Amino acid sequence: MEMESQVSSQNETRKENKKINSVLKLSILVLNCFVLGIGNTGGPLLLRLYFIKGGKKIWLSSWLETGGWPVMFLPLAVSYLYRRRTNPNRETKVCFITPALFMASAALGLLIGVDDYFYSYGASRLPVSTSSLIISTQLAFTAVFAFLIVRQKFTSYSINAVVLLTVGAVVLGLHASGDRPGNESNKQYFIGFFMTLAAAILYGFVLPMVELTYKKANQVVTYSLVMEMQMVMSLFATAFCTVGMLINKDFQTIPGEAKVFALGEAKYYVLLSFSAIVWQFFFMGAIGVIFCASSLLSAVIIAVQLPLTEVLAVLIFHEKFKAEKAVSLFLSLWGFFSYTYGEFKETNKKKKAAKSEVMTITDS
């Protein structure tokens, strides 16, 4: 009887700990979705504002997307102090990243640097509402790469979501020239279109690769480690863009561009600073969602937040919102709700299976 009581008590403790861990992970997931939302809506708008008001440096705008990496020292310092306070009798590690993870993060950072250039080039040519819809196709590419790289399981709902988002992008692409700004040629516009599409494909590859890196880490992946990896990725992406800036001699021309900037010289530097910080929110949120769930969910969250960016672009920059954009937006939302419903059903199925297993063990 006493042994049964001890076993029962241990099971209850395990259940309680599991429940606490689930709540903690859900809280981190919600926080990262919020952080991702700030970067996913604010980043493209600030980038487009830079180009609209007289900015012309594509390498500089690419650099800004990851150049705010030093801000990661703040949450890392808070994490370190928290660990030191909660474990005063143990030696507190300053960092968790191993040489192998550092190299993997560096390689991913270089890919992100290339992606930054593709995206910035597209943003210099396309309205935000258009580029956001093209970027929403990233979900389709992430789904394909997630299946190939991390063996992501699919349901009929997730396949439906991928198809709908892809069709939405095709609809937009077929009528893309009608959204061309008056001062651009068809050639410039379509180069911007395909560069943005290339950015979506490449980042669709990067997200599952981050998830694979977590799985192959050979150590416990904590949120502190995730932040360290993000900082390394941003550092190497920034280094890649810095080389581009040096070759293009962007650093020498920044003061001259600031003087003729439509919003004024002081606001030019404020805009650059805010852009660098807001884009860090995007990247940290994206890999944080991967840590809590999967690369596919991260892509879904990015896709579902894009309609908000489109609406804000129309309101702030007075961009055109023609019928094909409305159709593409509708298909994007339909795709998201299809995926969400499928995930909801899958979660309920798993819960029922777990309850059935527990009842079977109890009866036996």
Side-chain angles (χ1 to χ4, degrees):
M1 286 291 290
E2 191 175 337
M3 279 188 68
E4 287 181 9
S5 177
Q6 286 178 351
V7 170
S8 176
S9 177
Q10 286 175 354
N11 288 336
E12 286 296 321
T13 304
R14 283 174 189 164
K15 285 180 183 177
E16 191 65 31
N17 289 337
K18 195 173 181 181
K19 190 175 180 181
I20 292 169
N21 288 334
S22 297
V23 171
L24 182 61
K25 202 160 191 178
L26 180 61
S27 301
I28 295 173
L29 177 60
V30 171
L31 175 63
N32 277 281
C33 288
F34 177 72
V35 169
L36 179 56
I38 294 172
N40 202 27
T41 54
L45 293 172
L46 291 172
L47 188 62
R48 187 60 184 165
L49 181 63
Y50 166 77
F51 287 116
I52 287 174
K53 297 301 179 181
K56 292 181 174 63
K57 305 299 176 187
I58 294 173
W59 277 113
L60 171 61
S61 58
S62 306
W63 188 93
L64 291 172
E65 290 177 43
T66 50
W69 63 267
V71 302
M72 294 303 301
F73 280 116
L74 180 60
L76 283 170
V78 171
S79 175
Y80 171 76
L81 292 172
Y82 175 78
R83 295 196 308 273
R84 190 173 178 178
R85 185 178 178 183
T86 52
N87 297 293
N89 298 324
R90 292 184 184 177
E91 185 180 347
T92 307
K93 291 183 73 173
V94 177
C95 63
F96 296 97
I97 195 165
T98 60
L101 280 178
F102 183 90
M103 294 301 293
S105 300
L108 288 170
L110 293 175
L111 288 178
I112 290 170
V114 176
D115 185 72
D116 289 346
Y117 181 79
F118 288 163
Y119 181 76
S120 292
Y121 191 97
S124 70
R125 302 296 182 190
L126 304 178
V128 176
S129 52
T130 303
S131 64
S132 294
L133 284 168
I134 298 169
I135 287 294
S136 69
T137 63
Q138 179 184 297
L139 175 57
F141 300 117
T142 303
V144 172
F145 288 123
F147 174 75
L148 296 172
I149 296 170
V150 292
R151 298 291 184 266
Q152 174 73 47
K153 291 182 180 178
F154 286 92
T155 63
S156 58
Y157 296 99
S158 56
I159 293 170
N160 185 50
V162 169
V163 171
L164 287 168
L165 282 159
T166 305
V167 172
V170 170
V171 168
L172 187 66
L174 291 174
H175 300 274
S177 59
D179 196 33
R180 175 173 57 85
N183 61 338
E184 285 181 15
S185 65
N186 279 333
K187 181 182 177 182
Q188 288 175 320
Y189 186 87
F190 277 106
I191 290 173
F193 184 93
F194 287 111
M195 288 289 268
T196 307
L197 187 61
I201 295 170
L202 184 54
Y203 202 64
F205 172 74
V206 167
L207 290 177
M209 285 302 295
V210 171
E211 185 176 354
L212 181 66
T213 305
Y214 292 163
K215 289 183 176 182
K216 300 289 185 180
N218 291 324
Q219 67 183 94
V220 177
V221 179
T222 63
Y223 196 64
S224 295
L225 177 60
V226 168
M227 289 191 289
E228 289 171 18
M229 289 175 64
Q230 167 55 26
M231 189 169 73
V232 173
M233 284 188 275
S234 291
L235 172 62
F236 277 83
T238 305
F240 175 84
C241 294
T242 301
V243 173
M245 288 183 70
L246 289 169
I247 294 171
N248 207 42
K249 298 182 179 178
D250 280 1
F251 287 107
Q252 294 94 313
T253 57
I254 287 174
E257 187 174 76
K259 287 177 182 176
V260 297
F261 196 64
L263 297 178
E265 189 174 355
K267 288 183 180 177
Y268 174 84
Y269 291 109
V270 170
L271 177 62
L272 297 190
S273 301
F274 269 94
S275 294
I277 294 169
V278 169
W279 276 114
Q280 278 303 299
F281 277 69
F282 170 80
F283 286 108
M284 189 60 239
I287 70 163
V289 172
I290 296 172
F291 165 72
C292 297
S294 68
S295 56
L296 188 60
L297 180 61
S298 184
V300 167
I301 298 299
I302 291 170
V304 77
Q305 291 170 344
L306 291 173
L308 176 60
T309 308
E310 295 157 27
V311 172
L312 289 173
V314 171
L315 293 174
I316 296 169
F317 300 133
H318 307 291
E319 294 179 356
K320 298 174 185 176
F321 198 80
K322 294 185 177 181
E324 61 270 11
K325 284 189 181 179
V327 171
S328 186
L329 176 58
F330 171 73
L331 291 172
S332 296
L333 290 172
W334 185 6
F336 169 73
F337 287 119
S338 174
Y339 178 87
T340 306
Y341 181 68
E343 286 297 300
F344 175 75
K345 286 192 72 174
E346 195 67 23
T347 302
N348 280 347
K349 190 190 290 186
K350 286 178 181 177
K351 282 182 179 178
K352 286 179 182 177
K355 279 184 182 179
S356 176
E357 190 177 338
V358 170
M359 286 177 70
T360 304
I361 294 169
T362 305
D363 291 341
S364 60

